[in-house]
Amino acid sequence: MAGLIERYRDRLPVDLETPVISLEEGSTPLIPAPALSKILGEERSVFLKFEGLNPTCSFKDRGMTLAVSKAMESECRGVICASTGNTSAAAAAYAARAGVPCYVVLPAGKVAAGKLAQALVHGAKVIPIEGNFDQALQLVVEIAEKEGITLVNSLNPYRIEGQKTVAFEIVDALGAAPNTHFLPVGNAGNITATWRGYRQYHEEGVIHSAPRMFGCQAAGAAPIVHGKPIENPETIATAIRIGNPASWQGATTAIKESEGEISAVSDEQILEAYAHLAAKEGVFCEPASAASVAGLLARHRAGLEICPQGGVVVCTLTGHGLKDPERAIAGLDIPPPVSSDLDSLRQRMGL
Ligand code: F0G
């Protein structure tokens, strides 16, 4: 399958001169979630758009293929981003592919191990700071401007343009728009982009209705829900540990235009959804990704409307569970070995 620039070329700001830096991203599966569908009842269908199956295992590859391709179209000294981890992994991989230097500025001690490993392995210059994501973003915006290095955070408009393709793929797979779409919100680029994709298909007449967009922030990092920046955001979902989202306006527009809502989910609710997805649906995503499903379950439990009877709900699962192995095994016992004979094995198996 070709990458998304090739597949959606006529809907993206590229021409034949644009060098395509691609790892064949996109085309991620839209997986039915029967256990969640059963919880909602009344023949509603829940689908998981599993973005963890992109080349660097998160949705960031969609925006990064376009941002780095466009950077290579003009003179590019290198690329830079602030990140809670996934943007840095994607930037590092696409920069490696393009053969340009990559600088990533991260909140020290707050990036999941898999993501840090990716940035390092792809040869990025990794710079942890004693500060949070919001501070890192301020710094990189300033240095990118001063040093003429291309910023590849979602303030770069090509990131949002690339990421809107997730909505195209969902519609292309379902043959129509879903009724409702839940997704996690951190810096708010993805909700902005996903809504833009649905709107574009709507304006082109590909779909006749657009979904209601439900954004889910972690309770300790929910500036949009509270209507003001959070100085010290905290959540176990480190990917969305953000107190002052760059695309705040885009998120509120998406919610308003689609008649959706932004809500906060607690770390407990996020972990419950994370465990449900792994144990009941067989899908292993990272904690921040599970915020979408946590938001769905919270809304269902509160008795609020999600979609009509027989309707379709999509939850974006933004990143792969293997990104954060420490969180995955936290609180679980790794069993000690048994001796290598059949009796011991049988005993341990409980047979
Ligand atoms: N889920 C995951 C796994 C993420 O990595 C992010 C953002 C989000 C959700 C939220 O998306 O920011 O567009 O609202 N991660 C960024 C990063 C901030 O640096 O990797 P958003």
Side-chain angles (χ1 to χ4, degrees):
M1 194 64 103
L4 58 86
I5 294 181
E6 294 304 349
R7 286 188 295 122
Y8 294 110
R9 174 173 278 286
D10 53 350
R11 294 186 166 94
L12 293 171
V14 291
D15 56 38
L16 292 172
E17 309 300 306
T18 311
V20 176
I21 311 297
S22 171
L23 293 165
E24 309 226 341
E25 54 294 307
S27 305
T28 54
L30 188 66
I31 306 172
L36 284 171
S37 303
K38 199 164 162 209
I39 290 172
L40 294 193
E42 297 184 318
E43 290 169 21
R44 294 183 178 91
S45 304
V46 180
F47 291 87
L48 308 168
K49 182 64 172 164
F50 192 23
E51 292 286 276
L53 293 182
N54 272 297
T56 78
C57 305
S58 88
F59 71 99
K60 303 287 181 179
D61 296 340
R62 293 184 186 275
M64 210 54 77
T65 182
L66 194 63
V68 174
S69 295
K70 294 301 283 187
M72 298 309 288
E73 197 175 279
S74 40
E75 205 165 308
C76 178
R77 254 186 93 186
V79 300
I80 187 166
C81 65
S83 183
T84 57
N86 281 324
T87 299
S88 68
Y94 284 83
R97 186 88 182 175
V100 289
C102 176
Y103 307 88
V104 306
V105 182
L106 311 172
K110 297 289 182 183
V111 172
K115 305 174 188 180
L116 195 55
Q118 287 177 292
L120 291 166
V121 161
H122 290 302
K125 179 103 183 156
V126 173
I127 308 162
I129 61 157
E130 292 160 352
N132 61 28
F133 170 84
D134 303 292
Q135 292 159 322
L137 184 59
Q138 267 185 10
L139 282 172
V140 298
V141 167
E142 212 174 310
I143 205 153
E145 168 85 33
K146 292 204 162 109
E147 297 293 332
I149 298 168
T150 307
L151 182 73
V152 292
N153 281 104
S154 54
L155 291 164
N156 178 324
Y158 298 120
R159 281 278 315 280
I160 305 276
E161 279 294 299
Q163 282 173 213
K164 75 183 179 186
T165 57
V166 73
F168 300 162
E169 286 184 13
I170 291 166
V171 170
D172 294 349
L174 293 173
N179 297 88
T180 310
H181 190 134
F182 284 84
L183 76 173
V185 172
N187 212 24
N190 208 31
I191 189 169
T192 304
T194 306
W195 179 239
R196 187 182 294 180
Y198 284 125
R199 271 196 56 163
Q200 187 169 345
Y201 258 16
H202 193 239
E203 280 156 19
E204 290 175 10
V206 180
I207 50 178
H208 305 296
S209 63
R212 295 177 72 192
M213 302 294 293
F214 287 91
C216 311
Q217 296 200 292
I224 304 178
V225 176
H226 297 302
K228 60 174 192 316
I230 307 289
E231 205 170 318
N232 296 306
E234 264 321 329
T235 167
I236 52 102
T238 52
I240 51 172
R241 184 176 168 271
I242 292 175
N244 192 10
S247 297
W248 190 314
Q249 189 59 48
T252 47
T253 302
I255 286 150
K256 214 166 103 198
E257 289 181 351
S258 74
E259 295 172 21
E261 201 173 278
I262 183 122
S263 64
V265 285
S266 67
D267 281 1
E268 291 71 30
Q269 289 173 315
I270 291 173
L271 289 175
E272 184 205 350
Y274 171 77
H276 170 98
L277 287 163
K280 300 283 199 288
E281 313 287 1
V283 177
F284 186 27
C285 66
E286 65 171 285
S289 305
S292 58
V293 171
L296 167 67
L297 289 172
R299 208 174 156 80
H300 174 67
R301 282 183 193 141
L304 297 169
E305 209 208 313
I306 291 168
C307 72
Q309 196 174 346
V312 173
V313 179
V314 171
C315 295
T316 309
L317 299 184
T318 44
H320 202 288
L322 290 173
K323 292 266 192 182
D324 195 351
E326 280 151 17
R327 170 55 55 189
I329 56 172
L332 300 178
D333 292 324
I334 298 181
V338 295
S339 56
S340 59
D341 60 79
L342 273 184
D343 279 346
S344 310
L345 180 60
R346 209 172 266 127
Q347 200 182 6
R348 181 61 74 78
M349 289 168 78
L351 300 177

